[in-house]
């Protein structure tokens, strides 16, 4: 019998290379969530991939992987991992495998590929090669100096330098941090499509630099580099409610930039911001994120960013101190001009005053094309509502900008013919624009609405047979996007603030719809940076100091555990949905400090806001006692801490905080549930929290579910919940067997409810059920996550494709429901490799 076996073995050996050649290969290689990222500044970048498609189709799981990381494509092609050869590792993991090779240096370019094995022991082919480029690991490794033009005041200074190149570089990488905001230009053109960059942070803790590949913009011979600096949150021009104009980090805008050039002969050159640069003001004579921008076209300096420009009259820049925060690479999806809209209508409430209805409430700005006399000023006032007389209501939502000017652009004409104006360093939340000072009535073509926000790739899709529910889904996603401005904001106009509950309660819905991993990972840093030394977590992040703990350590303004527990709920969501263990590691000590803070401070720290925005209560939580929600949040976060301790292998903590969570749960039950299982007070939020956060003995669940049903019936099928309860309400119903009722509540006609917004013509979600205040608030969009639940009868639809056209490996779900949404289809889930699933986890 020996011979035939041997013969077979020889045959297999001979055909193996052939089979391997045609074997499928792992796909969608990602490093720190990105395809071929340019600025990775963690020493152990995490690598992720997806299994070969054919293996997935066969229902196969990965059983092993082999990663190679090399200094060159040539090494990689020879299957040599001169930086790291993981060898064959038995593992089903395909998410966030930390690099474990030779130490990496700043700016290093790393190439990688891998192969995997399936359950039958079949090896895949090697994947295509991918790469990542290291950022700057240590601050002293930057080749550049911080420079600026403090004399420019509230105008936006233009900074420039020129340089000669012997040949066109084969690779040119720009690393830039221009605070508060910057626009990078090379040889007369904008070098990237980012807007309002870099992201908002507590600049005393962290400032973000962006890495761009700018090879296409450079040429042999003379070149010019230019940067325009705006104030942003670093130097806010108007006084605001939160005191951001006097935040501890504030100062004149400043720039740090290095351009790393690789020539064909291997020479590496650096062009860097330093004292040799020159500056001058240009056409932006005033800029403020809240007030708006003034552009004086008479001060345009055409071609200032080209090598031929004569800058003899320009002044030398000032070398400025670095911001106190550490520099880190920006990873979140950029803010861009995401979409353009044509106005719906123009009216003229008074002669020469034109009111433009953009047809939709959104975040961004207007691009205006016009002509007129030199020095003539055109004013654009943006807001969400009209007064009865047809003018734009500029009082509405202006309460948090303390100086008079609010969401207002001024364009001063050069008078040179047709001129186009578009602000760079501001954005507004609005539907209507009132334009004053035009020589003639504008046409619809003269005005363009530009939606400006972070641009995460789509991650889920939802459709059903009920057009109004589809419309609600549209509003949820639209409102969410309009509130992504490097932090999750509460609204794009009045406050523009990173209120923790608004930004956290909407996370699951946002994650189901959009690829939010790097966005929330960044915001987690903001929350940790905002935490006070005693463990207190302010209700906004970044924080100017306005919401910090009192000098005696007591809770700061509007402190509330539902806002503060974003410190644990955010890393928990990152872990559950994206498998991001590092987020848990990073947040762990902060969460612990907050739980210990609550344990010591107890009642005083149980909250000041509670179920804010409950229906019919003029915002305040009246129906649901504030300690009821506060203690529930305390329990939830303590339970999460215990689970995270277990995930990190900290058994003692897991035990300790598990016991504490049990005690908090017991005290909640003692306070609010009587011995028959009845909850007092009669509040939908109280019932929903009890059911969803496991604040009940199992045998009392049906009693509380019945209380909830009775309450809804009493309210004729309407919800009455606020900023906390609304998210939990549909889960509480469906998890107690009342999917129909959950749909009924979400689709109830009349006030309060989502369909009331839709029937009233809402073009974004409202802040309040009655339509007062902001008309672009993401918060009630939290229910969007529930749409992705696997309801009976669901059928999957194909997962969405990312911007590279590649399909992501997502858990696809569809819900089909007997009456209203006869075919509700949805998909949601995790990023590359997807071991985490997008499902709501009760008690999480
Ligand atoms: C914001 C809310 C926020 C609340 C807290 C409001 O002004 O817009 O969404 O959570 O303040 O008080």
């Amino acid at each position: 019998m020996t011979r035939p076996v041997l013969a077979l073995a020889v045959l297999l050996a001979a055909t193996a290379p052939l089979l391997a050649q045609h074997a499928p290969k792992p796909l969608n290689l990602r490093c720190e969530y990105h395809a071929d990222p340019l600025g990775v500044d963690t020493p152990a970048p995490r690598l992720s991939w997806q299994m070969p498609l054919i293996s997935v189709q066969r229902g196969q799981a990965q059983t092993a992987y082999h990663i190679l990381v090399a200094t060159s494509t040539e090494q990689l092609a020879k299957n040599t991992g001169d930086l790291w050869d993981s060898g064959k590792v038995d593992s089903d993991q395909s998410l966030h495998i930390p690099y474990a090779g030779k130490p990496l240096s700043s700016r290093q370019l790393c190439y990688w590929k891998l192969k995997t094995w399936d359950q039958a022991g079949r090896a895949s082919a090697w994947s295509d090669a991918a790469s990542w480029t290291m950022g700057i690991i240590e601050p002293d490794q930057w080749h550049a100096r911080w420079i600026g033009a403090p004399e420019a005041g509230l105008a936006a200074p233009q900074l420039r330098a020129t340089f000669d190149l012997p040949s066109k570089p084969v690779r040119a990488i720009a690393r830039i941090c221009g605070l508060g905001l910057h626009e990078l230009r090379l040889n007369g053109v904008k070098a990237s499509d980012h807007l309002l960059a870099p992201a908002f942070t507590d600049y005393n803790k962290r400032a973000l630099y962006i890495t761009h590949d700018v090879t296409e913009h450079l040429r042999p011979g003379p070149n010019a580099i230019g940067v325009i600096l705006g104030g942003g949150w670093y130097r806010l021009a108007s006084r605001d409610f939160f005191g951001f104009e006097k935040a501890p980090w504030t100062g004149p805008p400043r720039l740090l930039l290095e351009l790393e050039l690789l020539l064909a002969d291997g020479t590496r050159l650096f062009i860097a911001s330093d004292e040799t640069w020159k500056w001058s003001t240009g056409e932006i004579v005033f800029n403020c994120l809240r007030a708006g921008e003034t552009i004086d076209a008479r001060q345009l300096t055409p071609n200032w960013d080209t090598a031929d420009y004569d800058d003899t009259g320009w002044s030398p820049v000032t070398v400025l101190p670095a911001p106190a925060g550490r520099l880190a690479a920006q990873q979140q999806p950029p803010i861009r001009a995401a979409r353009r809209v044509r106005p719906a209508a123009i009216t003229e409430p008074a002669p020469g005053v034109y009111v433009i209805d953009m047809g939709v409430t959104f975040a961004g700005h207007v691009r205006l094309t016009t002509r007129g006399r030199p020095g003539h000023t055109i004013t654009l006032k943006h807001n969400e509502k009209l007064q009865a007389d047809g003018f734009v209501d500029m009082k509405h939502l202006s309460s948090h900008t303390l100086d008079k000017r609010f969401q207002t652009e001024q364009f001063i004409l050069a008078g040179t013919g047709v001129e186009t104006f578009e602000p760079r360093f501001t954005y507004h939340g609005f539907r209507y624009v009132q334009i004053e000072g035009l020589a003639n009535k504008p046409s619809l073509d003269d005005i363009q609405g530009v939606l400006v926000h972070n641009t995460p790739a789509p991650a889920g899709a939802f459709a059903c047979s009920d057009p109004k529910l589809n419309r609600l889904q549209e509003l949820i996603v639209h409102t969410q996007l309009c509130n992504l401005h490097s932090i999750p904001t509460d609204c794009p106009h009045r406050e523009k603030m990173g209120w923790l509950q608004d930004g956290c309660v909407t996370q699951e819905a946002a994650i189901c719809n959009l690829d939010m991993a790097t966005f929330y990972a960044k915001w987690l840093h903001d929350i940790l940076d905002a935490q006070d030394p005693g463990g207190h977590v302010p209700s906004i992040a970044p924080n100017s100091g306005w919401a910090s703990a009192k000098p005696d350590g007591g809770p700061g303004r509007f402190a509330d555990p539902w806002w503060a527990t974003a410190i644990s709920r955010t890393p928990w969501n990152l872990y559950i949905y994206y498998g991001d263990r590092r987020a848990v590691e990073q947040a762990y000590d902060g969460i612990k400090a907050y739980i210990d803070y609550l344990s010591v401070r107890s009642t005083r720290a149980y909250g000041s806001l509670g179920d804010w925005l409950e229906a019919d209560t003029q915002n305040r939580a009246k129906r649901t006692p504030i300690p009821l929600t506060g203690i529930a949040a305390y329990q939830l976060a303590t339970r999460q801490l215990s689970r995270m301790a277990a995930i990190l292998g900290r058994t003692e903590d897991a035990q300790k905080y598990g016991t504490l969570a049990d005690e908090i749960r017991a005290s909640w039950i003692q306070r609010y549930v009587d011995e028959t299982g009845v909850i007092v007070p009669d509040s939908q939020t109280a019932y929903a929290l009890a059911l969803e956060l496991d604040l009940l003995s199992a045998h009392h669940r049906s009693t509380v579910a019945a209380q909830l049903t009775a309450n809804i019936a009493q309210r004729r099928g309407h919800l009455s919940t606020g900023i906390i309860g609304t998210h939990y309400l549909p889960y509480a119903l469906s998890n107690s067997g009342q999917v129909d009722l959950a749909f009924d509540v979400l689709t109830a006609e009349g006030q309060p409810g989502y369909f009331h917004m839709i029937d009233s013509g809402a073009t974004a979600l409202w802040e309040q059920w009655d339509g007062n205040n902001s008309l672009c608030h993401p918060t009630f969009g939290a229910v969007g996550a529930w749409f992705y639940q696997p309801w009976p009868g669901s059928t999957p639809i194909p997962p969405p494709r990312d911007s590279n056209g590649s399909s992501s490996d997502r858990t696809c779900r569809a819900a089909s429901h007997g009456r209203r949404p006869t075919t509700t289809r949805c998909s949601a889930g995790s990023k590359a490799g997807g071991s985490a699933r997008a499902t709501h986890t009760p008690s999480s």
Side-chain angles (χ1 to χ4, degrees):
M1 293 297 293
T2 313
R3 270 165 194 260
V5 172
L6 186 65
L8 183 63
V10 170
L11 185 69
L12 281 177
T15 54
L18 201 68
L19 284 175
Q21 241 177 32
H22 296 289
K25 45 193 177 187
L27 301 166
N28 295 329
L29 275 62
R30 296 286 184 266
C31 173
E32 291 296 330
Y33 290 106
H34 291 286
D36 303 327
L38 290 174
V40 174
D41 56 4
T42 164
R46 294 167 302 171
L47 306 176
S48 306
W49 58 87
Q50 290 178 314
M51 278 190 72
L53 266 184
I54 194 156
S55 311
V56 176
Q57 282 155 5
R58 281 185 196 138
Q60 284 283 335
Q62 174 190 297
T63 54
Y65 64 77
H66 183 179
I67 299 173
L68 295 177
V69 184
T71 50
S72 68
T73 44
E74 291 76 27
Q75 294 286 351
L76 205 61
K78 286 190 271 173
N79 296 340
T80 308
D82 57 340
L83 286 170
W84 186 37
D85 183 336
S86 74
K88 184 177 174 186
V89 180
D90 291 334
S91 167
D92 60 357
Q93 291 300 304
S94 58
L95 271 182
H96 310 308
I97 307 301
Y99 168 84
K102 291 183 185 158
L104 301 173
S105 52
S106 289
R107 306 181 185 85
Q108 186 164 357
L109 180 49
C110 308
Y111 298 93
W112 70 290
K113 67 180 182 183
L114 83 151
K115 65 159 101 170
T116 57
W117 283 262
D118 67 14
Q119 280 159 317
R122 282 178 297 237
S124 73
W126 285 106
S127 69
D128 291 341
S131 73
W132 79 85
T133 303
M134 293 300 289
I136 310 295
I137 299 170
E138 295 299 331
D140 60 1
Q141 291 169 337
W142 279 85
H143 285 299
R145 303 184 75 180
W146 285 92
I147 58 172
E151 304 91 314
L154 300 178
Q158 302 173 151
L159 283 59
R160 67 173 249 124
T162 53
F163 53 95
D164 276 312
L165 291 179
S167 58
K168 182 174 166 65
V170 288
R171 181 170 149 99
I173 300 294
R175 300 183 180 90
I176 178 167
C177 177
L179 301 178
L181 301 171
H182 67 257
E183 179 176 306
L184 171 64
R185 304 187 63 86
L186 278 162
N187 293 323
V189 295
K190 199 169 178 293
S192 89
D193 60 357
H194 292 216
L195 295 177
L196 302 172
F200 179 21
T201 52
D202 176 338
Y203 306 103
N204 275 355
K205 302 274 174 59
R206 194 181 305 268
L208 302 182
Y209 65 91
I210 304 179
T211 312
H212 300 289
D213 186 328
V214 294
T215 315
E216 60 166 320
H217 298 299
L218 295 170
R219 52 175 84 124
N223 286 267
I225 185 163
V227 176
I228 317 174
L229 289 177
W233 294 106
Y234 189 69
R235 191 261 2 240
L236 189 68
S238 307
R239 290 177 305 130
D240 82 358
F241 180 77
F242 308 96
F244 273 98
E245 78 285 358
K246 50 178 193 286
W249 58 70
T250 197
R254 60 203 62 197
L255 167 72
L256 184 76
L257 179 148
E258 69 165 50
L259 193 54
E260 180 191 359
L261 307 171
L262 184 66
L263 304 185
D265 64 1
T267 314
R268 213 147 58 115
L269 300 172
F270 285 95
I271 309 295
S273 53
D274 63 16
E275 63 287 353
T276 65
W277 284 47
K278 288 179 156 187
W279 78 276
S280 162
T281 47
E283 74 274 20
I284 303 175
V285 296
F286 173 86
N287 71 97
C288 174
L289 275 173
R290 293 200 181 282
E293 194 163 298
T294 301
I295 299 178
D296 185 346
R298 295 168 304 177
Q299 302 204 35
L300 271 165
T301 42
N303 303 324
W304 69 274
D305 45 7
T306 61
D308 295 340
Y309 183 79
D310 179 4
D311 63 9
T312 329
W314 286 40
S315 313
V317 294
T318 306
V319 173
L320 293 169
R326 80 175 191 85
L327 279 162
Q330 181 164 315
Q331 300 286 358
Q332 62 172 217
I335 297 180
R336 296 187 176 107
R339 189 153 66 90
R340 289 165 198 276
V341 289
R342 192 168 192 265
I346 301 183
T347 54
E348 193 175 356
V353 178
Y354 301 101
V355 170
I356 321 299
D357 177 359
M358 301 306 302
V360 57
T361 297
F362 67 92
H365 62 250
V366 156
R367 179 186 161 98
L368 173 74
T369 301
T370 188
R371 57 194 308 157
R373 284 184 290 110
H376 196 75
T377 301
I378 295 168
T379 308
L380 281 75
K381 297 176 181 165
H382 308 70
N383 215 339
E384 281 185 345
K385 274 189 178 169
L386 296 182
Q387 298 172 174
D389 57 9
F391 289 92
V392 175
D393 182 354
M394 290 305 288
K395 281 224 172 72
H396 176 63
L397 304 178
S398 63
S399 53
H400 289 58
T401 307
L402 302 186
D403 293 330
K404 263 201 172 151
R405 182 169 169 175
F406 172 61
Q407 301 211 119
T408 299
E409 254 78 270
Q410 283 180 336
F411 297 148
I412 305 172
L413 301 183
T416 46
V418 175
E419 300 177 58
T420 296
F421 291 89
E422 194 170 0
R424 279 189 176 86
F425 299 128
T426 194
Y427 77 94
H428 315 300
F430 66 104
R431 171 172 173 167
Y432 300 98
V433 196
Q434 181 168 313
I435 310 187
E436 294 163 30
L438 286 174
N440 298 303
K441 182 172 180 175
S443 82
L444 292 180
D445 294 329
D446 296 335
I447 296 146
Q448 200 177 56
V450 185
L451 274 72
V452 177
H453 51 69
N454 288 91
T455 48
F462 170 92
C464 73
S465 58
D466 184 333
K468 276 210 225 168
L469 211 46
N470 289 337
R471 178 70 178 144
L472 177 55
Q473 162 73 4
E474 269 171 34
L475 295 192
I476 289 172
V477 177
H478 171 71
T479 315
Q480 183 66 70
L481 286 168
C482 287
N483 279 285
L484 300 181
H485 287 93
S486 77
I487 57 167
T489 61
D490 62 331
C491 54
H493 25 50
R494 185 184 64 213
E495 301 184 36
K496 293 182 160 73
M497 265 311 99
W499 283 99
L500 265 53
Q501 169 65 355
D502 305 59
C504 192
V505 75
T506 46
Q507 276 172 10
E508 292 184 63
I511 288 169
C512 288
N513 288 307
L514 302 159
D515 188 349
M516 300 297 292
T518 53
F519 187 88
Y520 288 135
K522 182 266 179 191
W523 197 47
L524 175 60
H525 286 303
D526 296 333
I527 298 169
L528 295 169
D529 286 348
Q531 186 169 30
D532 293 305
H536 171 268
V537 178
S539 282
I540 54 171
N543 175 26
S544 58
W546 175 84
S548 303
K550 297 218 174 84
D552 68 355
R557 286 188 177 93
F558 298 103
D560 191 288
W562 275 101
W563 277 249
T565 51
I567 200 170
S568 69
R569 289 149 67 209
T570 303
W572 184 252
N573 283 337
L574 285 165
Y575 180 76
I576 291 295
Y577 286 92
Y578 298 114
D580 198 332
R581 190 177 191 270
R582 186 176 291 171
V584 172
E585 286 164 3
Q586 288 169 336
Y588 188 79
D589 290 342
I591 305 167
K592 205 166 138 175
Y594 179 61
I595 296 301
D596 293 347
Y597 173 84
L598 271 186
S599 302
V600 173
R601 298 263 161 187
S602 63
T603 45
R604 275 190 64 208
Y606 285 163
S608 60
L609 292 162
D611 199 25
W612 183 256
L613 305 177
E614 274 185 341
D616 322 316
T617 61
Q618 278 80 49
N619 293 352
R620 307 266 154 203
K622 289 199 184 126
R623 233 170 274 123
T624 317
I626 290 176
L628 182 150
T629 49
I631 300 169
Y634 178 28
Q635 190 263 168
L636 164 64
T638 309
R639 186 78 66 204
Q640 285 177 340
L641 175 60
S642 158
R643 289 180 181 161
M644 289 190 240
I647 289 162
L648 299 182
R650 304 188 192 204
T651 5
E652 234 174 78
D653 275 4
Q655 175 87 45
K656 175 179 159 189
Y657 290 102
T659 308
L660 177 60
D662 290 342
E663 286 165 12
I664 304 166
R665 177 178 181 270
S667 83
W668 194 95
I669 293 174
Q670 204 199 352
R671 271 180 185 231
Y672 301 111
V673 192
D674 75 12
E675 58 292 349
T676 64
V678 166
I679 288 192
V680 184
D682 183 21
S683 140
Q684 291 180 6
T685 293
Y687 304 138
L689 291 181
L691 288 163
E692 275 306 288
L693 299 185
D694 186 29
L695 294 167
L696 285 173
S697 314
H699 58 283
H700 286 155
R701 284 188 68 85
S702 53
T703 311
V704 174
Q707 278 191 285
L708 177 55
T709 313
N711 182 301
I712 293 170
Q714 231 172 37
R715 294 183 168 274
R716 298 207 174 113
H718 286 270
L719 51 69
S720 66
T721 47
I723 197 166
I724 298 165
T726 305
H727 169 60
Y728 291 104
L729 184 65
Y731 291 105
L733 289 168
S734 56
N735 288 334
S736 38
Q738 306 207 69
V739 181
D740 288 7
L741 187 55
F743 275 111
D744 288 349
V745 169
L746 294 186
T747 57
E749 304 283 345
Q751 206 180 321
Y754 293 96
F755 279 19
H756 172 62
M757 293 188 201
I758 291 169
D759 292 336
S760 310
T763 57
L765 293 180
W766 296 346
E767 175 178 15
Q768 292 176 214
W769 295 117
D770 59 11
N772 279 318
N773 278 313
S774 152
L775 303 181
C776 191
H777 237 67
T779 320
F780 287 146
V783 294
W786 184 82
F787 292 179
Y788 286 83
Q789 287 300 294
W791 305 127
S794 61
T795 51
I797 57 173
R801 293 183 170 266
D802 66 22
S803 47
N804 302 324
S806 53
S807 169
S808 50
D809 173 23
R810 293 192 165 88
T811 312
C812 298
R813 290 269 168 74
S816 167
H817 180 258
R819 290 167 304 112
R820 282 211 188 78
T822 47
T823 49
T824 301
R825 296 172 163 217
C826 48
S827 72
S830 63
K831 218 174 146 48
S835 63
R837 287 187 330 170
T839 53
H840 183 255
T841 43
S843 326
S844 67

